Amino acid sequence: MNLKKEKKLAQEFDRLEAASKNMEIPAAPPDEFENILSEMKRRGINPRVRKELGDRK
């Protein structure tokens, strides 16, 4: 990558980072995680975490 392009990208990153520092991240809805897991179950997708934990449920 040439130096001009790299410098321009670094400046853009710094600008975006500075702009995002004052942003508040909204909280997820209370049951969002459960909804995602139930949709994964409906589609037949097994979460990797469950496999790694030995599917204790």
Side-chain angles (χ1 to χ4, degrees), residues 25-43:
I25 300 171
D31 56 349
E32 184 70 13
F33 186 71
E34 289 78 12
N35 289 341
I36 292 170
L37 287 178
S38 65
E39 181 64 19
M40 288 175 72
K41 186 174 184 177
R42 185 184 74 76
R43 293 181 185 198

Side-chain angles (χ1 to χ4, degrees), residues 1 4 8 11 32-33 55:
M1 183 179 284
K4 275 187 173 180
K8 188 175 179 180
Q11 288 172 339
E32 184 70 13
F33 186 71
D55 200 5

Side-chain angles (χ1 to χ4, degrees), residues 6-23:
E6 190 173 320
K7 185 176 180 179
K8 188 175 179 180
L9 286 174
Q11 288 172 339
E12 179 68 8
F13 177 81
D14 291 341
R15 186 185 69 76
L16 291 172
E17 185 179 39
S20 68
K21 283 187 178 181
N22 296 327
M23 295 178 88

